[in-house]
Amino acid sequence: MVHDQRALPELTDLTAAHWTSGASGRLSVRRCVHCLRWSFPPSRCCRHCWSADFTVEPVTGKGVLLTWTEVNDPSPYLVAVVELEEGIRLLLGLTGSEPGALRVDTPIRLYFEHLGGDFWLPFAEIEELELPEDRLEAVS
């Protein structure tokens, strides 16, 4: 499926929580029932204890900026690797910041933009920024 210029993924039992949990304003991630480790990117069995038993739990949506790059295709935008408080690392669009103002370990928070249907795309922004009223903040 394509939304504007984005190709939307197929929702599966492994990916649905990631793409649809933004409707609640909080990112949900698979977690192993046995060793309680997070499974992201999601997999059929735990990478640590090999269990196939998972729950889906919301995360705080807060973390820190690890690294970023500016992409210029066709207009510039930022892509960042962030680490959430739970230790989960995500590659996300970073909005509302200039590359020269960014620093490693800068606090970030997640928010979501609705792509239509069940799809909510997570983004990161620097924690101190104000949220426009039309976006859902992904913070507990």
Side-chain angles (χ1 to χ4, degrees), residues 42-91:
S43 62
R44 296 242 176 249
C45 63
C46 178
R47 294 171 183 87
H48 305 282
C49 73
W50 298 101
S51 169
D53 297 324
F54 291 95
T55 62
V56 176
E57 297 180 17
V59 295
T60 63
K62 293 184 177 186
V64 295
L65 183 62
L66 296 181
T67 190
W68 62 93
T69 190
E70 185 174 16
V71 178
N72 291 295
D73 181 35
S75 58
Y77 62 95
L78 296 173
V79 177
V81 176
V82 300
E83 184 170 54
L84 300 180
E85 290 177 345
E86 293 81 3
I88 300 163
R89 290 185 177 186
L90 301 168
L91 178 67

Side-chain angles (χ1 to χ4, degrees), residues 57-132:
E57 297 180 17
V59 295
T60 63
K62 293 184 177 186
V64 295
L65 183 62
L66 296 181
T67 190
W68 62 93
T69 190
E70 185 174 16
V71 178
N72 291 295
D73 181 35
S75 58
Y77 62 95
L78 296 173
V79 177
V81 176
V82 300
E83 184 170 54
L84 300 180
E85 290 177 345
E86 293 81 3
I88 300 163
R89 290 185 177 186
L90 301 168
L91 178 67
L92 301 168
L94 178 64
T95 62
S97 300
E98 293 296 321
L102 298 173
R103 301 289 178 262
V104 171
D105 289 333
T106 298
I108 62 92
R109 64 180 170 207
L110 300 183
Y111 72 91
F112 296 90
E113 288 189 7
H114 188 219
L115 299 181
D118 293 330
F119 290 93
W120 292 80
L121 187 62
F123 285 90
E125 69 181 351
I126 303 305
E127 176 107 33
E128 295 83 14
L129 299 177
E130 292 295 320
L131 283 175

Side-chain angles (χ1 to χ4, degrees), residues 6-28:
R6 290 189 176 107
L8 298 178
E10 180 182 342
L11 293 180
T12 69
D13 62 329
L14 285 178
T15 65
H18 179 77
W19 297 114
T20 63
S21 64
S24 70
R26 296 183 69 188
L27 180 65
S28 291

